[in-house]
Amino acid sequence: MALIEINKLSAWYGKAQALSEISLEVNRAETIAIVGANGAGKSTLLDSIMGLVHNTGSICLEDEDISASKTRYRVEQGIGYAPERFNLFPYMTVRDNLLVGAYTARDKIDKNLSAVYKLFPQLAERENQETATQSGGERQMVSLGRAMMSSPRILLVDEPTIGLAPKVCGEIAEVLRRLREEMGLTVIVTEQNANFALSLAERLYVLESGHITASGSADELARDDTLAKSYFGAG
Ligand SMILES: Nc1ncnc2c1ncn2[C@@H]1O[C@H](COP(=O)(O)OP(=O)(O)OP(=O)(O)O)[C@@H](O)[C@H]1O
Ligand SMILES: [Mg+2]
């Protein structure tokens, strides 16, 4: 059974429809990528899974429909979110930003903080530094770490490579791989960087103007000429 299953999810901002009948499923310990251009609806999809946008359709976590639940409940049930452009508090330290993510899991702060510092040793070294003075890559790591502080089973990561150098993208990919392999985490990552998505995800969905227009394994999508040219830099 899928860990999370989304069926006919549509989302609106006022009268403007941003997502049209999106259906997808993600299995335990699987990484999937949602690939799409600016405005395709990537952030709206993740916001909908968190209950932050008006939407219809169903979102089932194991066999429970959480589509009418409050965001806090979804976090307590194990959905963690590292939103776009990380939204950190710039004049708070790394450690205090991480603690913000522990709101629903205060009894596990020590355990989760050690796990985050093990995953990102450079954050442990700089735990008293304000995030305003960090590099983009370091801030992305704080954002992922903050999402880990709620003890998630499934992690939503919105465009983790935006504005980052290729070497740092590689480091982020490595961390996301370790989350799956060492901690059994299920990951949904959105990307415009299709090559990053291909290198990381077992399956991909292509999102265009609020519709899923293709899906399949990395091999299957790379074999489709039109898609390969448009999204995956081939041809
Ligand atoms: N708060 C909002 N109010 C009104 N429309 C919005 C709002 N947020 C997004 N939209 C619209 O919804 C659509 C999807 O936007 P969304 O931010 O989900 O795209 P995205 O794929 O995340 O893009 P990007 O790569 O630029 O982050 C776009 O047409 C956008 O203009
Ligand atoms: Mg976005």
Side-chain angles (χ1 to χ4, degrees):
M1 189 177 61
L3 178 58
I4 190 160
E5 189 172 338
I6 293 170
N7 206 6
K8 295 194 171 174
L9 187 153
S10 297
W12 286 266
Y13 294 104
K15 285 185 183 152
Q17 187 164 4
L19 293 176
S20 303
E21 304 210 331
I22 303 291
S23 297
L24 59 85
E25 57 181 50
V26 195
N27 298 315
R28 226 170 245 96
E30 186 181 34
T31 296
I32 67 147
I34 313 287
V35 179
N38 286 119
K42 303 181 295 297
S43 302
T44 303
L45 176 57
L46 300 188
D47 282 353
S48 300
I49 297 173
M50 295 312 296
L52 299 169
V53 179
H54 171 64
N55 65 269
T56 57
S58 68
I59 302 169
C60 290
L61 189 61
E62 293 186 305
D63 47 9
E64 184 184 3
D65 188 342
I66 55 163
S67 52
S69 306
K70 292 205 174 356
T71 298
R72 179 183 175 132
Y73 181 77
R74 301 182 198 206
V75 176
E76 286 168 349
Q77 292 310 303
I79 310 182
Y81 191 16
E84 189 176 57
R85 292 178 247 282
F86 12 92
N87 290 316
L88 302 176
F89 293 98
Y91 302 112
M92 278 167 48
T93 63
V94 166
R95 184 189 164 88
D96 287 344
N97 269 284
L98 291 173
L99 293 180
V100 169
Y103 187 74
T104 57
R106 276 177 275 196
D107 52 332
K108 299 195 191 103
I109 285 180
D110 291 342
K111 178 172 161 276
N112 286 338
L113 203 54
S114 324
V116 168
Y117 285 158
K118 191 167 162 233
L119 210 52
F120 303 109
Q122 61 271 60
L123 296 188
E125 286 160 24
R126 296 173 173 221
E127 66 169 358
N128 294 315
Q129 184 179 351
E130 289 182 353
T131 59
T133 63
Q134 288 190 298
S135 71
E138 288 162 348
R139 274 183 269 166
Q140 186 59 59
M141 289 170 195
V142 178
S143 175
L144 289 169
R146 182 179 60 183
M148 293 303 295
M149 291 299 292
S150 64
S151 299
R153 292 186 281 166
I154 174 160
L155 188 62
L156 315 183
V157 189
D158 200 3
E159 294 204 56
T161 66
I162 201 153
L164 301 183
K167 178 170 174 285
V168 185
C169 296
E171 287 169 25
I172 301 285
E174 187 51 37
V175 165
L176 292 175
R177 244 176 245 124
R178 282 175 60 198
L179 291 177
R180 175 180 58 195
E181 284 161 15
E182 294 172 22
M183 300 164 90
L185 226 71
T186 303
V187 178
I188 301 180
V189 61
T190 71
E191 266 301 334
Q192 295 192 46
N193 180 343
N195 287 321
F196 176 87
L198 279 174
S199 73
L200 187 66
E202 289 151 282
R203 288 187 302 116
L204 300 95
Y205 292 84
V206 176
L207 188 62
E208 287 181 82
S209 307
H211 296 81
I212 289 188
T213 52
S215 64
S217 68
D219 286 351
E220 283 164 352
L221 290 187
R223 252 184 264 132
D224 182 318
D225 275 355
T226 319
L227 281 173
K229 278 189 194 126
S230 312
Y231 290 96
F232 303 121

